[in-house]
Amino acid sequence: MKPAPFEYHAPASVDEALALLTRYGGDAKLLAGGQSLVPLLNFRLARPAALVDLNRIPALAGIREVNGHVAFGAMTRQRTIEFSPVVARRLPLLTEATRWVGHLPIRSRGTIGGSLAHADPSAEYPTVLTALDGEVSVRGPRGERVVRAGALFETYLTTTLAPDEILVEVRLPAMPEGAAYAFEEFSRRHGDFAIVGVAAMVVGRGERCTAARLATAGTGPVPVRLRAAEEILERDGLGEAAIAAAARRAAEIVQPDSDIHASADYRRNLTRVLTERALKRALARAGAR
Ligand SMILES: Cc1cc2nc3c(=O)[nH]c(=O)nc-3n(C[C@H](O)[C@H](O)[C@H](O)COP(=O)(O)OP(=O)(O)OC[C@H]3O[C@@H](n4cnc5c(N)ncnc54)[C@H](O)[C@@H]3O)c2cc1C
């Protein structure tokens, strides 16, 4: 199927792109990597009057370290992130999560900003943003604002961004030196969206845990931060019993829906299994260093 007709614009700056969004009054769509938008256009599930292509705005791409954070221009490709030495050093959880995103050709076009703005609750980047409590900068006609991970995702495929706003930058706090981490996921075929995914990071000394970060993909309309499970690890440490208790708590926190891919019960059980697996793998790898 082919998309319905649309006007095409390729602005050279964010200001120009914002003016175009205002001109179309909510009837234009931003085009980033096109890996989610183009299928929606082809199936005519989206029929915007215009596409505003962000690919000719060089200022929107790139990775830099700033004040203990790693900042990504919204148009930074997933493939660039996968092979970035800065990301491998400062955010290895993101490097690992990126390998779960679709296939190589998808990662070569898909962008971090597009993935977050698309807000698929089974996607890896929203889950990592939630686990690490990152934030995004958003520009609109009323200026720039910062949105924390917990306030970005509203429901399935919906963020709190207005139609005339552009996500311009993503910031994640650099992981503490020596943090243990793992991204675990279950999907039926390699490259499919997760049925459930779990992002885990723990900072500890021996069996003591000074900070834990856990979040899930595929367990409801938005990614879920598993704060009550994190608290078990921070209180009781990183031994077998505490990990098993945290994983059980994780399964109680999530409220997944049933769909054609899996029942809610199956997803809840996967949450427990993958949380335990992620924590154990993270610690085993950290111990091996
Ligand atoms: C076969 C297949 C398998 C896939 N598997 C996975 C997977 O396992 N995990 C996963 O996470 N993703 C997966 N994807 C999706 C892929 O990661 C996309 O790259 C991503 O979801 C969207 O990024 P994009 O840059 O392509 O955005 P686009 O498709 O260009 O845009 C997506 C949406 O975000 C909006 N948007 C884009 N950029 C901005 C911005 N800067 N500000 C505001 N709004 C913006 C667009 O208007 C559109 O509504 C898969 C895609 C395919 C085709």
Side-chain angles (χ1 to χ4, degrees):
M1 204 155 162
K2 292 275 178 274
F6 53 81
E7 303 279 321
Y8 173 80
H9 300 276
S13 69
V14 173
D15 285 338
E16 221 182 295
L18 285 171
L20 284 160
L21 291 182
T22 303
R23 194 211 295 175
Y24 283 95
D27 203 9
K29 274 276 177 198
L30 294 168
L31 174 67
Q35 298 304 298
S36 297
L37 181 58
V38 171
L40 290 174
L41 294 174
N42 286 345
F43 284 114
R44 300 199 174 197
L45 293 168
R47 302 170 74 115
L51 288 192
V52 177
D53 188 347
L54 298 177
N55 285 276
R56 311 266 167 83
I57 309 179
L60 277 182
I63 302 174
R64 60 201 171 88
E65 279 187 85
V66 254
N67 302 330
H69 282 69
V70 183
F72 302 84
M75 287 297 292
T76 309
R77 309 282 169 192
Q78 294 151 1
R79 189 87 178 136
T80 306
I81 293 170
E82 185 177 357
F83 288 102
S84 159
V86 171
V87 180
R89 201 170 57 247
R90 309 297 277 152
L91 288 168
L93 176 64
L94 187 66
T95 307
E96 186 164 304
T98 304
R99 299 195 184 116
W100 288 99
V101 178
H103 306 275
L104 188 146
I106 290 156
R107 299 197 292 269
S108 299
R109 293 297 306 165
T111 64
I112 187 168
S115 179
L116 295 175
H118 188 59
D120 190 311
S122 296
E124 291 78 10
Y125 282 1
T127 308
V128 173
L129 190 84
T130 302
L132 298 184
D133 203 12
E135 61 187 26
V136 299
S137 280
V138 176
R139 276 188 59 191
R142 295 159 297 281
E144 185 155 337
R145 65 191 179 102
V146 173
V147 185
R148 297 281 295 270
L152 180 61
F153 305 108
E154 197 164 276
T155 184
Y156 291 101
L157 307 183
T158 310
T159 66
T160 53
L161 266 61
D164 58 358
E165 289 184 312
I166 300 177
L167 192 163
V168 290
E169 189 171 85
V170 181
R171 284 184 296 277
L172 286 162
M175 290 163 58
E177 198 70 37
Y181 65 92
F183 196 99
E184 282 288 343
E185 176 168 321
F186 179 76
S187 58
R188 286 193 195 282
R189 297 170 309 183
H190 173 73
D192 281 2
F193 276 97
I195 290 182
V196 172
V198 174
M201 180 188 85
V202 283
V203 185
R205 193 173 289 269
E207 288 206 353
R208 250 195 84 225
C209 174
T210 51
R213 300 281 182 273
L214 292 166
T216 50
T219 60
V222 295
V224 181
R225 175 88 182 265
L226 303 171
R227 191 62 201 124
E230 296 170 358
E231 280 166 5
I232 292 175
L233 300 171
E234 289 166 356
R235 187 188 63 226
D236 298 343
L238 298 169
E240 290 254 344
I243 288 176
R248 281 195 303 275
R249 189 77 187 93
E252 289 163 6
I253 298 167
V254 296
Q255 299 196 314
D257 294 315
S258 296
D259 62 21
I260 52 163
H261 302 294
S263 69
D265 275 351
Y266 183 72
R267 285 196 154 96
R268 213 173 284 113
N269 190 49
L270 262 184
T271 302
R272 181 185 60 72
V273 170
L274 295 179
T275 301
E276 187 160 350
R277 198 178 287 171
L279 287 167
K280 285 185 171 167
R281 191 163 64 79
L283 292 168
R285 177 167 48 194
R289 274 205 298 262

